[in-house]
Amino acid sequence: MVTKKMKVYYRFFLFIAITGIFFYGIKTTISGPYLQSIHGSPTSGVQRNNLTQFSKGNCVHCHEMHASIGGSEPTPVKPGPSLFTLLADEENACYYCHGSTSNNNPPLSKNIQAQFQNTYRHPVERSGLHKKPAYLETATDLQPPYRHSECTDCHNPHVLLQTTHTYNSTSPASNNLVSGVLMGVFGVEPQGWLYWGSPTTFYELRPSPSNPTGGASKEYQICLKCHSYYGFGSSLNTSTGVTTITGPSGIYLTDQAREFSPQNYSFHPVVQPLNTTPRGGSTPYALTAGQLNSPWSVNPGSQTMYCSDCHGAYAWDATGTQIKGPHGTSNPFILIEGRYWPSKPSNCGGGYWTLSDIRNNQCSWQINLLCAKCHPLYSGTGWKNKVHNIHVGKSATCNGTSYTSVPCITCHIAIPHGSKNSRLIGNSSDPSPYNICSAITRFTKAFGPFNYSKYSCSTLSGCH
Ligand code: HEC
Ligand code: HEC
Ligand code: HEC
Ligand code: HEC
Ligand code: HEC
Ligand code: HEC
Ligand code: HEC
């Protein structure tokens, strides 16, 4: 029975809880443009089903003191998100609305929880290692033995807007800037990029109570806080770029600050467009328009791209309820849905992709090969470079198996982020996992894709 006295107590407690959160919040939280954020919006913000007496966007839909409002007393921590336990609730606080059962009113359409049930995923289920608000974390909070990845390491729930990235054709060099969902997140930028070397000093780009939308301005800066020396610490061998941390796909993780350095002879343009930095290796830096699919074919040499154009269920071209972001997919390395590299999907007999898979139209390469999403490789008019054309009929041995046509990774580096050679060509002297079966001992880029000769390259068997 609810007595009058209980109601008075309840109202008093509610008042204290809300003013407490409010004033504490004003003093310390990154809640600056909260009312403009998607969660704080009075028209489309947070609203728990069982708390419709509070307006949309109200903090109490996520924060409440000791489950005093919508939770069941007297449990002080669970169920229900509560201010000082949100850190402990981790991904479950977000799944409350973004999960398989949405407790939001109206219900949300994108099920993020389902993505994290894939084998290849960010390990949000690892618990008890994210001990501070993400914007206050330092290198030691991210390095082993605390290595973790929670939703709030990549998203700031007080600041984020609803927008995700698309291809920006008006300003193609800006195709690596953080989208709305990544605003106000702590990231790092190396203090100087190296030629195939691991930077060990970083600028820390943090949002702060006085600058809540501060933080990473580029998506890769968020990734690098965990995928470079900053987040690897002594698990990274800074002379090889390889760590002793095994990722969900079963290989040792490597240093992305080394691989995407604009000082390398080649790289996917995540940090800078290909033509921006004069560097080693001969010109031209950019590919020709014919070596790229739309929309990438419009601005060769002057565009950047996102890590999440290759990692995550869907990329820049997602439509409808397709979800972007490197949460988790059913493909190794969290590659975009249905796309594989360097191995073929198991339903095509396994093994590595070879040039004849393309030439002979095998294994639905146009929809299954990662590279084919952005590079046409072969069409009615033939190959897009002479080297592919010449080698399609040559045999090779890779990782103990003989192939009647040359596997891609005989020439290309297995991790296609960047290389010390031009055109993502690997080296037979590279360590694993960069090298699986590289035959290349020297490579010189030609003036154009059809200008190659046997003098462009040397191999282990000296066949050139
Ligand atoms: C009380 C419900 C609720 C909780 C808890 C919640 N959200 Fe949301 N979230 C929403 C609503 C409502 C929207 C905007 C409407 C929509 O998505 O349809 C939204 C939007 C978003 C968006 C923008 C993209 C999109 O799909 O609209 C992101 C990103 C996001 N939330 C992340 C998070 C993260 C990370 C957490 C946990 C820290 C979290 N949310 C917790 C209700 C919630
Ligand atoms: C979508 C859910 C959500 C909403 C809405 C929300 N918060 Fe938070 N809040 C969180 C999460 C999750 C954390 C833990 C942050 C982390 O792990 O980095 C947090 C942390 C905090 C903290 C401690 C860290 C800090 O920033 O100092 C304060 C204070 C806070 N929130 C206040 C508020 C206030 C005030 C509001 C309303 C203006 C609000 N929050 C609205 C989810 C939310
Ligand atoms: C807060 C830390 C953190 C951040 C930020 C982060 N990651 Fe990760 N990432 C991890 C952890 C932890 C793993 C699992 C492997 C491990 O234990 O280190 C992982 C795994 C991965 C894998 C899977 C590797 C495999 O073996 O399949 C990919 C791909 C990946 N991350 C890409 C990204 C991208 C892209 C970004 C930026 C959008 C990013 N990560 C940001 C911590 C992080
Ligand atoms: C052009 C597509 C592409 C882009 C862009 C890309 N990746 Fe990858 N990434 C791959 C592929 C393919 C693999 C699998 C490599 C292998 O088989 O060893 C991979 C592997 C990884 C792995 C796991 C293995 C390792 O070496 O650590 C991580 C982590 C990762 N990428 C993070 C990132 C981050 C962070 C970014 C942006 C800074 C990024 N990737 C951008 C294609 C891409
Ligand atoms: C999401 C789109 C995308 C995917 C997937 C992709 N690439 Fe690229 N690739 C690009 C873009 C964009 C460039 C830069 C072209 C330019 O601006 O000139 C590029 C450039 C390259 C270059 C030239 C780099 C240099 O510095 O010389 C090579 C080689 C290359 N890609 C190979 C690959 C291979 C191999 C794969 C598959 C493992 C792949 N790409 C997958 C978009 C992609
Ligand atoms: C490793 C970093 C990382 C982690 C961890 C992470 N996200 Fe994301 N998330 C991203 C990126 C990157 C995007 C896509 C950004 C873009 O396309 O501009 C994204 C996109 C989203 C979107 C919008 C999807 C769309 O297509 O509209 C939602 C919602 C979201 N994340 C929620 C979550 C929730 C909830 C969690 C935890 C359960 C989580 N994320 C964990 C990096 C992450
Ligand atoms: C015999 C060595 C060799 C093999 C095998 C090889 N490549 Fe290449 N690839 C090259 C060279 C050299 C270039 C640079 C062409 C240029 O300078 O424009 C290149 C360029 C590319 C490009 C840039 C776009 C284009 O079409 O030129 C992509 C994408 C690519 N390769 C993917 C692949 C894939 C996928 C495979 C396997 C199916 C593969 N390569 C096998 C040597 C090779």
Side-chain angles (χ1 to χ4, degrees), residues 122 126 147-148 222-223 226-227 245 247-249 253 307 311 333:
H122 270 100
R126 252 181 231 171
R147 198 164 161 78
H148 65 269
I222 298 174
C223 314
C226 300
H227 290 283
I245 302 168
S249 303
L253 296 186
C307 307
H311 296 287
F333 305 104

Side-chain angles (χ1 to χ4, degrees), residues 21-22 24-25 28-31 34 39 46 58-59 62-63 83 86-87 130 132-135 152 157-158:
I21 290 177
F22 189 71
Y24 181 80
T28 55
T29 192
I30 304 280
S31 67
Y34 179 71
H39 283 144
V46 281
N58 196 309
C59 317
C62 288
H63 294 285
L83 173 60
L86 273 176
L87 279 171
H130 173 82
K132 287 182 186 166
Y135 75 101
T152 50
H158 304 135

Side-chain angles (χ1 to χ4, degrees), residues 265-269 274 279 285-288 292 296 299-305 309-310 316 336 341 369-375 412 416 422-424 445:
Y265 280 19
S266 61
F267 47 83
H268 270 103
L274 293 188
R279 56 184 185 274
Y285 298 132
L287 293 178
T288 59
L292 293 157
W296 310 100
N299 303 291
S302 54
Q303 58 195 338
T304 55
M305 66 191 296
D309 280 327
C310 292
W316 79 95
I336 37 184
W341 169 274
L369 170 64
L370 175 71
C371 324
K373 187 161 171 73
C374 307
H375 300 281
H412 291 289
S422 295
R423 296 299 186 231
L424 303 180
K445 181 166 52 184

Side-chain angles (χ1 to χ4, degrees), residues 10 31 41 94 116 146 192 255 263 269 281 289 292 315 335 412 435 440:
Y10 177 71
S31 67
S41 159
C94 311
F116 285 103
Y146 300 106
D255 178 9
Q263 297 297 321
L292 293 157
L335 291 178
H412 291 289
N435 177 8
I440 309 294

